[in-house]
Amino acid sequence: MGQGDSELILTDSAAVLIDAGEQSAANDILADLQKYGVTKLDWIIGTHPHADHIGGFPKILDYAAAYDDLTIENVMVPALPDDMVPTTRTYENFLDGVEKNGLSLTQAVSTTIDLGSASLEIIPSPGEDYSSLNDYSICTYLTCGSTGFFFTGDASKPEENDLLSSGALDHVHPDVLKVGHHGSRESSSDNFLQALCPSYAVISCGYDNSYGHPHQEAVIGSGNTAANRSGARMKTAPSPLHQTDRH
């Protein structure tokens, strides 16, 4: 996925694609959908409209509109203030793809989607006046039996703080955390990580990327383990840390 971000959720009766990486990731995602026999995506979720999260969606949407072997049922995006709605070519292409499929955008609200053998809780950003699109990221909590996964988009500290103070995360204790914003120092505050206390953490980032992700503050300790940080990062119980640029 390079520097982008994408997660494909498959259950016994449903398929959800959270984000689609950069534009260059579209072919790989389409290949994976074919590999796993996915002919219908019940939901595609753009956590927020940055190109490294929605860049692959236009080609995937165009493919679904042109061919019979892939159908997209629903498209979810965050609610944004008017002055934060992007005018980028990537976002315009995304909207064109949605229209080609005869779909409309569903703005994220607090709800739980039944996926058969699993459930996906939608946790929208509680704020309305952030300076960055990252903090409008849709968070999602996937539970399958007793196992939980928490996906954060690019949520950074302002959104994390608001999620905590609103009580939206009181019940969220995931086994696996998809670390916010590619392991940026702007995300994963002490309070946030202590509240979630994940057993495992995953950072999605590109090899030798120009942003320096993950930042050193997010990766401390030998063997890439996140354990009892003295700095401002994963100061939870020991959490094996996996990076997509290395795995």
Side-chain angles (χ1 to χ4, degrees):
M1 200 53 56
Q3 181 59 16
D5 203 311
S6 183
E7 295 85 28
L8 176 62
I9 299 170
L10 302 178
T11 73
D12 59 340
S13 60
V16 176
L17 182 62
I18 302 175
D19 288 332
E22 298 176 316
Q23 181 179 357
S24 58
N27 286 337
D28 288 338
I29 293 173
L30 286 168
D32 282 343
L33 295 177
Q34 294 172 351
K35 174 182 177 180
Y36 294 114
V38 178
T39 59
K40 182 181 72 169
L41 287 169
D42 298 90
W43 286 91
I44 64 172
I45 299 174
T47 59
H48 65 293
H50 277 158
D52 58 335
H53 287 252
I54 66 165
F57 276 139
K59 187 167 188 177
I60 295 168
L61 286 159
D62 286 351
Y63 182 93
Y67 297 98
D68 295 333
D69 60 341
L70 180 63
T71 301
I72 296 173
E73 295 285 329
N74 300 280
V75 182
M76 184 180 296
V77 295
L80 298 174
D82 290 343
D83 62 350
M84 294 294 287
V85 176
T87 58
T88 61
R89 178 64 60 87
T90 296
Y91 189 64
E92 294 297 328
N93 289 342
F94 170 65
L95 296 179
D96 289 344
V98 171
E99 184 177 355
K100 289 175 185 177
N101 284 270
L103 300 171
S104 57
L105 299 178
T106 299
Q107 290 192 342
V109 296
S110 297
T111 189
T112 298
I113 301 172
D114 183 2
L115 302 180
S117 58
S119 62
L120 186 68
E121 182 181 355
I122 306 300
I123 305 177
S125 174
E128 299 179 351
D129 189 25
Y130 297 119
S131 61
S132 171
L133 279 173
N134 291 334
D135 289 314
Y136 292 97
S137 288
I138 302 169
C139 293
T140 48
Y141 186 34
L142 174 70
T143 53
C144 184
S146 60
T147 304
F149 303 80
F150 191 58
F151 305 102
T152 57
D154 272 358
S156 57
K157 292 176 184 177
E159 182 177 356
E160 291 174 357
N161 292 337
D162 287 345
L163 287 167
L164 290 173
S165 63
S166 70
L169 304 184
D170 287 354
H171 63 292
V172 176
H173 301 290
D175 298 277
V176 180
L177 168 68
K178 200 287 295 182
V179 175
H181 201 189
H182 317 283
S184 165
R185 63 175 64 91
E186 302 302 325
S187 298
S188 304
S189 68
D190 280 355
N191 288 341
F192 183 73
L193 292 168
Q194 288 169 352
L196 296 180
C197 197
S199 299
Y200 301 89
V202 178
I203 293 176
S204 180
C205 59
Y207 177 74
D208 197 27
N209 65 83
S210 61
Y211 302 97
H213 293 156
H215 291 147
Q216 184 61 29
E217 297 93 323
V219 184
I220 301 174
S222 61
N224 285 340
T225 58
N228 296 326
R229 304 305 172 87
S230 59
R233 284 300 178 250
M234 298 185 179
K235 201 173 180 182
T236 63
S239 303
L241 177 64
H242 301 275
Q243 298 174 211
T244 59
D245 59 337
R246 298 185 179 183
H247 296 84

